[in-house]
Amino acid sequence: MIRFDERLNTITLHTRSSSYQMKLDSNGVLLHTYYGPRLRGGDLSTLIQKEDRGFSPNPYEAGTDRTYSLDTLPQEYSSNGAGDFRTPSLEVDCADGSHIVDLRYVRHTIREGKYALEGLPAFYTEGGEGQTLEVELLDRYTGLEVTLLYGVMEEYDLITRSVRIRNGGQGAVQLTRVMSVCLDFPAGSPDLITLGGAYGREREPVRMPLTQGVHTAGSVRGTSSHQQNPFMVLCDHDATEDSGCCWGMALVYSGNFLASAEYTQFHETRLTMGINPYRFAWRLEPGEQFVAPEAAMIFSDHGLGQMSRQFHKAIRCNLCRGPWKNSRRPILINNWEATFFHFNADKIVSIAETAGKVGIEMMVMDDGWFGKRDSDFSGLGDWNVNEKKLPGGLAPLAQRINDLGMKFGLWVEPEMVSEDSDLYRAHPDWAFQVPGRPMTRGRSQLVLDLTRQEVREYILENLRTTLKSAHIEYVKWDMNRSLTDVWSARLPANRQGEIYHRYVLGVYEILEAIHREFPDLLIEGCSGGGGRFDCGMLHYTPQIWCSDNTDAMDRLRIQYGTSFCYPCAAVGAHVSATPNCMTHRTTPMHTRGVVAAAGTFGYELDLNEITDEELEEVRRQITHFKTCWDLVLRGDYYRLSNPFAEEPFQAWMHVSPDKDRALVGVVMDKIHANPCRPRLRLKGLDPQADYRVNGTVYGGDQLMYAGLALPVLDEYEAVQYDIEKV
Ligand code: DGJ
């Protein structure tokens, strides 16, 4: 619900459990006055204490009032160069060389339904649900028009934001910084949580108490990256999984991003999030406009767990699209870790045959099926089938897989080109590189310049041809390097600063076309594992390969961090062979199954090469997953431990929305001699109900308040509990 109070000049956005307020002050400045637990009403600007602060200048309209300063007032969208020395939301090189942006209120509108953003992914509603607020601001001296967009989806406690900027002046301007969101908090001692990491160690939560200065997380790699994720949380210093206030913020974007938390001289906090200003310069001719990616904010006053669960539901139901978003995904087997590049049709069929016998439903053929692709040194860009490996092409192989009663899926990496490819030989300038400079290789490949229409058309045409050439029901869309040598032969010198963003828009344009033309196709995103695991991609690909690291123990950490924002339904997770090819660790087959069952659940090994007992365990895992997939896909997720803390076992659970059923996973992490034996306290159940837990009946209250006594487990052993209301 969005309310404008004419008497108080306040606009208040209410969700089920939160309120967000802004106030138009007498100088036309849009103040941010509140974001927190739901309020009945009131004017929260009365809490702002104005005083004459040294070195905080005063706008001209303030006259002799030295207590009025943009440097100390909480702003809805901070200006630049006019007295606010905190993090700016917008930076512009104006036509006359000046850079001042001082925004004042013009008008606002409130309407039913949530806005959409053309060419950009965004949360959506159906049937006119949700509401939109648009607030128009103007810099009177340059004619720059800034429209702040707000979407309210009450049920999820979700408020989305975006910004539209129109050049209403006479000359061209250059936008060099456009934040999608700016959020000022009153003085306090909050913690900041970001998701750091690396390739194979994605989304490790980093929590720190804020101290004076600017703390940032971001990417300049052209993708959202393995190293930082476009997500951050500000929370009470003592916030836990179950208590305390948390403000989560995710950017619906897959390219360079910047998230920053500034802790000011007065211990106030300003959060901003948007496209990374690194090498960003977007030229706006008079009358042209620019739209910033969407930022999504969720507030929880019941701790981090509640915040995550709200993100999960909102992302799964109102960001992901297509028939797969809420239906059971096929249990797949992928040949990558089983064969790498060395396979042929018979090998793929032999893996599928055994897989089909134990209940696996889809065979995915990974990298190596096309062009001259026997290693990662060649072939990308040539999307014609390698007939030596696959005589007759994809159709006969897909048919053989279908004859086994299984679906067929395929790997692609459309954004790339190898130097050793017909495509590169024909169009060397289609790859990012600066003429006269040696190129920078990544995994021995180059990135195609998706800012060029002919390149996007080539990619789309090849994808269409491939997808129509056989019965392909799934695609794994990979992207295996960061962008370098970012220069486009098609853009003039004064537009080269647009490339990073235009690249992302190009990816979205191709994915949108595929989504429309092949609406039933299930696409799994991937970027060397989880290098582009973000809300932008999830609008096109309802699941994303979470990490190339399939080691079950490392996956506990990766999946834990991922769950802060992203739903289990989005987490590509497979059982692979041991010793693990990345960590060389050996874990029991059962444990690998329990861990993979907290995601989309699949396999990535040659089942012909495991023991009969292991194969029997695989059969059990699949039979079991088919009975509980709905809990993983649609249930409420509870983190029961923190794998980054010194805890002996790791545990999590999925609870059905009606609290009738639950699935608990437990893995013994670290073993020490003569250990203490903590009990596992469950969450999310009905305390008044009784539940059967692997055959024994307990009260919901007992399970949650006293806990379950865990069996004695060896290091890396796992146990799963099926819980059902009696
Ligand atoms: C990186 C992916 O993350 C892997 O799963 C695999 O598909 C390889 N690329 C193939 O080159």
Side-chain angles (χ1 to χ4, degrees), residues 336 341 366-367 373 411 443 476 478 480 526-529 545 548 604:
W336 178 245
F341 293 101
D366 210 279
D367 195 354
R373 186 72 173 166
W411 177 97
R443 206 197 188 197
K476 177 176 173 190
D478 208 347
N480 280 303
C526 177
S527 175
W545 183 225
D548 273 359
E604 186 146 345

Side-chain angles (χ1 to χ4, degrees), residues 406-624:
M406 296 169 78
K407 297 177 190 296
F408 176 65
L410 195 67
W411 177 97
V412 292
E413 191 177 3
E415 299 159 61
M416 298 291 152
V417 64
S418 307
E419 284 160 83
D420 186 0
S421 69
D422 292 341
L423 178 65
Y424 186 75
R425 281 183 281 274
H427 299 286
D429 62 321
W430 280 17
F432 282 131
Q433 53 188 311
V434 184
R437 269 186 185 279
M439 76 262 285
T440 310
R441 301 183 178 106
R443 206 197 188 197
S444 305
Q445 63 196 49
L446 304 177
V447 185
L448 286 170
D449 178 358
L450 298 200
T451 71
R452 297 172 65 154
Q453 200 185 335
E454 64 272 40
V455 176
R456 298 197 298 275
E457 278 166 8
Y458 173 87
I459 292 174
L460 200 49
E461 205 34 56
N462 274 273
L463 282 167
R464 272 191 197 114
T465 308
T466 302
L467 291 172
K468 287 181 184 161
S469 73
H471 190 208
I472 297 167
E473 299 185 71
Y474 158 107
V475 153
K476 177 176 173 190
W477 182 298
D478 208 347
M479 197 288 187
N480 280 303
R481 61 159 292 179
S482 305
L483 273 58
T484 58
D485 308 292
V486 170
W487 184 86
S488 175
R490 271 282 186 274
L491 288 171
N494 63 4
R495 287 199 177 269
Q496 294 289 323
E498 300 177 8
I499 298 178
Y500 278 112
H501 183 53
R502 285 190 185 278
Y503 180 86
V504 181
L505 295 179
V507 174
Y508 291 155
E509 184 187 295
I510 299 168
L511 279 163
E512 184 64 32
I514 295 293
H515 172 74
R516 282 174 198 275
E517 288 176 40
F518 302 90
D520 295 332
L521 183 71
L522 172 60
I523 310 182
E524 176 154 353
C526 177
S527 175
R532 201 162 54 179
F533 203 122
D534 56 62
C535 285
M537 288 307 286
L538 286 170
H539 194 55
Y540 308 93
T541 70
Q543 62 191 58
I544 299 178
W545 183 225
C546 187
S547 178
D548 273 359
N549 184 348
T550 54
D551 174 280
M553 303 312 293
D554 278 5
R555 270 300 183 113
L556 289 173
R557 288 157 182 72
I558 298 167
Q559 292 175 193
Y560 168 87
T562 303
S563 78
F564 273 67
C565 179
Y566 306 102
C568 296
V571 172
H574 297 170
V575 172
S576 63
T578 58
N580 183 272
C581 63
M582 206 175 262
T583 63
H584 308 141
R585 188 184 349 238
T586 298
T587 50
M589 178 61 87
H590 180 61
T591 303
R592 286 175 266 155
V594 169
V595 175
T600 56
F601 192 59
Y603 290 81
E604 186 146 345
L605 72 170
D606 187 345
L607 294 175
N608 299 310
E609 291 178 8
I610 62 176
T611 64
D612 290 348
E613 294 76 56
E614 284 180 319
L615 196 60
E616 210 31 58
E617 168 60 26
V618 169
R619 190 194 300 276
R620 266 197 302 274
Q621 289 170 2
I622 292 166
T623 309
H624 179 251

